Amino acid sequence: MTCSACGQANPGPAQFCGGCGARLVAVCPSCQAANPPDNRFCHQCGGTLGSRPAAVAPAPAPRSYTPRHLAEKILMTGAALKGERKQVTVLFVDVSGFTSLSERLDPEEVHRLMSRAFDLMLAEVHRYEGTVNQFLGDGIMAIFGAPIAHEDHAIRAVHAALGIARALEAYQAELRPRGIRFQARQGLNTGLVVVGSIGSDLRMDYTAVGDATNVAARMQQVGEPGRVTISEATHRLVQGYFETRSLGALSIKGKAEAIAAWEVVAARETRTRLEVAADRGLTPFVGRERELRVLLDAFERARGGHGQVVFLVGEAGMGKSRLLAVLRQRIAGEAGWQEGHCLSFGRAMTFHPLVDLLRRQLGIEEGDDEAAVAAKIERGLAGIGPDLASAAPYLRTLLSVDPGDAEVRAMSPAQRRGETFEALRRVVVQSTERQPQVLVIEDLHWIDSASEQFLTTLIESVPALRVLLVFTYRPGYANPFGERSYFTRIVPAALSTEESARNLRNGGSSPGAPTA
Ligand SMILES: Nc1ncnc2c1ncn2[C@@H]1O[C@H](COP(=O)(O)OP(=O)(O)OP(=O)(O)O)[C@@H](O)[C@H]1O
Ligand SMILES: [Mg+2]
């Protein structure tokens, strides 16, 4: 009997799945009653169960569907503590339309179709490190921010919701020719919960403080099919990262005051925390003269042909990105400036800061099709140097466009990676021949291993080039680059009392206080 929770085949008499421990259940095709796996006739209606190939475990244990790396993270590291109050974002997904199918289709077929929809939802929730806390009849409830802590839980939750919408839409298109239709509504809210126990089955018990969960469920109910609806509390945290449309104020059962709701239209181009803060207006820059001087010194040496690497290390909100924005203004016109950012949920995305850097440099936008991306690469490379055309296939692959070159297409992944490193290195080398370059990679604490490997090789070429590499990261990242004579480490101290006071008078928060 095949376990529908984990897919493992089990011997005939098995009661529990050997792969995930879920109880194996045979569903009667006539009345849908759950039967023990060794029943040959349904104990509810007497119908034949036969030697049916599949069986279902009605509510799979979280352990069986949570990917191993997340399960380990929940059980071993940084998971929420019992009694802790945590701010979380709650996502409700409801898929309607499947239930009515049961009249037309074999129950097993309905079950198979729904399992696939659930798998698609789970994959997106797990991609952003949320956990599914509950399976509902036609949907799921997922939590972001606990048990695994994430400062950007609201942003992750909305990305997951958009991912689910996209995946279900594609699935819907696949089923349409068979006349099968379903609709997904999603709702999110952010609020406080008190964490209960986290069982060895990974399920987190929690108590919602106030209406955290009710409001999320309500957002899901009021939304249009196919849409993602968020409450005011979630909107406040994701504003600037997504395009949203106001839905006005909605009344909620049991609540005196109406709650403003928003529909999420799309994710905006990759935006950094500082760019989003800048939308709301930055307070005047204070202090940091020493740090700026060190950076300008390093730039002078780089400009003179002695390439430098600066590591800028500090806690969240300490002012790393702001300091670099000031450096950028100070040297505008004297050097090229390229920057790429690591994403908190990007570790599984190979080369993501380099892809970000290239997209920014080449002006690639979300809606660009393959031809547009290829044209921008070609134009960009021609602008850098005369003989960089051979780098194009590698840049195209990095940007998810067909390489347009049979030889590159046929390479083994390892060979292609080596050639890609070399192509990127040549692009950097040639850029520095025309003009000194500043190359910034931000937030290395979230870097993927392929990008890290590339930076390790690039660093070897730096001393002979007119380039300043700046890497920022938060304490805790194990810097793999070692020590070199051309490395400098800057650890900005908290602003002095006088500087902080000036910043507060200007309406800023004290740099050093973690940003959400
Ligand atoms: N010297 C400063 N004067 C005034 N405001 C500052 C200063 N440094 C930082 N800020 C403000 O503090 C906030 C956080 O700074 P910033 O984004 O640069 O921190 P960060 O160290 O890059 O944090 P993260 O690790 O989250 O990226 C921003 O709004 C920024 O404008
Ligand atoms: Mg920053």
Side-chain angles (χ1 to χ4, degrees):
M1 185 172 281
T2 308
C3 172
S4 72
C6 73
Q8 168 134 334
N10 289 278
Q15 300 283 332
F16 292 91
C17 171
C20 69
R23 177 182 279 282
L24 295 168
V25 181
V27 172
C28 170
S30 323
C31 73
Q32 292 185 55
N35 280 266
D38 42 5
N39 270 18
R40 285 178 41 229
F41 297 97
C42 173
H43 57 200
Q44 197 66 251
C45 69
T48 318
L49 298 173
S51 54
R52 290 146 32 75
V56 291
R63 213 174 184 152
S64 65
Y65 60 73
T66 308
R68 182 193 292 246
H69 72 281
L70 286 190
E72 277 170 9
K73 214 163 169 176
I74 294 171
L75 294 173
M76 307 291 182
T77 63
L81 299 173
K82 195 171 172 178
E84 211 179 337
R85 278 166 81 92
K86 297 223 76 164
Q87 196 195 44
V88 299
T89 299
V90 180
L91 163 68
F92 276 96
V93 192
D94 180 82
V95 182
S96 58
F98 273 126
T99 338
S100 61
L101 290 178
S102 356
E103 293 154 21
R104 294 203 282 124
L105 297 177
D106 172 355
E108 253 189 34
E109 175 68 356
V110 175
H111 177 78
R112 208 179 52 73
L113 294 174
M114 285 194 70
S115 289
R116 170 90 188 283
F118 276 104
D119 286 347
L120 295 170
M121 295 183 230
L122 287 179
E124 294 303 317
V125 169
H126 292 146
R127 186 192 313 280
Y128 296 97
E129 300 202 341
T131 48
V132 172
N133 220 53
Q134 222 176 313
F135 277 95
L136 312 162
D138 282 342
I140 54 169
M141 170 196 166
I143 296 187
F144 296 78
I148 304 176
H150 289 298
E151 63 185 30
D152 54 353
H153 50 84
I155 296 172
R156 287 169 177 259
V158 175
H159 274 302
L162 290 177
I164 289 174
R166 257 194 317 271
L168 290 181
E169 205 174 298
Y171 187 35
Q172 167 91 267
E174 189 184 314
L175 295 181
R176 200 165 294 136
R178 295 172 56 192
I180 299 171
R181 280 174 206 284
F182 63 87
Q183 295 169 326
R185 285 187 169 83
Q186 304 192 70
L188 297 100
N189 179 41
T190 301
L192 282 178
V193 297
V194 177
V195 175
S197 56
I198 297 158
S200 58
D201 68 351
L202 306 182
R203 199 187 289 282
M204 182 181 81
D205 286 335
Y206 71 92
T207 322
V209 177
D211 299 304
T213 334
N214 291 345
V215 172
R218 176 80 181 128
M219 291 295 128
Q220 178 260 300
Q221 288 154 8
V222 299
E224 299 276 318
R227 302 284 161 80
V228 175
T229 312
I230 61 177
S231 68
E232 175 74 34
T234 304
H235 184 252
R236 218 175 299 130
L237 295 175
V238 305
Q239 206 174 356
Y241 293 94
F242 298 91
E243 277 168 38
T244 53
R245 190 168 71 82
S246 168
L247 298 176
L250 303 173
S251 57
I252 305 264
K253 207 158 67 189
K255 254 185 114 72
E257 280 176 33
I259 291 190
W262 305 76
E263 182 189 310
V264 182
V265 180
R268 294 184 61 180
E269 278 297 305
T270 34
R271 315 221 48 227
T272 67
R273 288 178 297 290
L274 189 63
E275 281 165 350
V276 171
D279 286 350
R280 301 174 191 173
L282 292 178
T283 53
F285 187 69
V286 298
R288 300 278 183 251
E289 287 89 7
R290 186 190 65 84
E291 291 85 354
L292 197 53
R293 213 168 35 243
V294 176
L295 279 165
L296 286 167
D297 277 354
F299 173 66
E300 281 310 320
R301 267 176 281 159
R303 178 155 58 179
H306 304 286
Q308 300 290 310
V309 183
V310 172
F311 298 97
L312 187 50
V313 189
E315 298 285 357
M318 203 60 175
K320 303 179 290 294
S321 305
R322 184 72 193 268
L323 179 59
L324 292 180
V326 171
L327 174 71
R328 185 174 187 173
Q329 278 169 359
R330 286 285 286 271
I331 61 172
E334 297 174 44
W337 183 284
Q338 315 300 341
E339 66 179 72
H341 296 251
C342 302
L343 287 170
S344 70
F345 40 84
R347 216 167 275 146
M349 292 147 68
T350 309
F351 291 124
H352 75 276
L354 304 177
V355 170
D356 179 47
L357 185 147
L358 287 170
R359 290 176 65 96
R360 287 169 187 268
Q361 183 180 4
L362 301 170
I364 292 170
E365 285 158 21
E366 204 59 61
D368 284 352
D369 60 11
E370 290 218 351
V373 173
K376 285 179 179 178
I377 292 173
E378 198 177 319
R379 217 174 316 134
L381 288 175
I384 296 171
D387 37 298
L388 282 177
S390 60
Y394 304 102
L395 267 58
R396 289 167 65 132
T397 312
L398 276 179
L399 295 170
S400 310
V401 172
D402 184 276
D405 180 312
E407 204 180 319
V408 175
R409 214 177 289 131
M411 282 178 182
S412 72
Q415 190 188 1
R416 191 177 317 137
R417 180 171 293 195
E419 296 290 339
T420 302
F421 282 12
E422 181 48 28
L424 288 172
R425 203 188 62 84
R426 272 190 292 129
V427 172
V428 173
V429 170
Q430 290 225 3
S431 323
T432 62
E433 281 166 9
R434 273 208 344 211
Q435 199 190 13
Q437 298 289 326
V438 180
L439 223 149
V440 177
I441 305 288
E442 281 243 49
D443 302 321
L444 251 55
H445 45 278
W446 291 319
I447 200 167
D448 63 289
S449 62
S451 303
E452 195 176 59
Q453 223 182 325
F454 169 68
L455 296 181
T456 312
T457 54
L458 179 68
I459 271 181
E460 300 296 324
S461 311
V462 162
L465 300 176
R466 292 198 297 165
V467 68
L468 169 63
L469 282 184
V470 185
F471 296 153
T472 69
Y473 60 85
R474 297 181 186 165
Y477 170 65
N479 178 331
F481 306 107
E483 295 289 338
R484 296 291 165 85
S485 57
Y486 53 96
F487 286 6
T488 309
R489 194 179 141 90
I490 304 179
V491 186
L495 293 178
S496 71
T497 331
E498 198 258 321
E499 287 162 342
S500 300
R502 200 154 18 113
N503 191 33
L504 287 175
R505 274 199 303 278
N506 291 334
S509 61
S510 177
T515 45

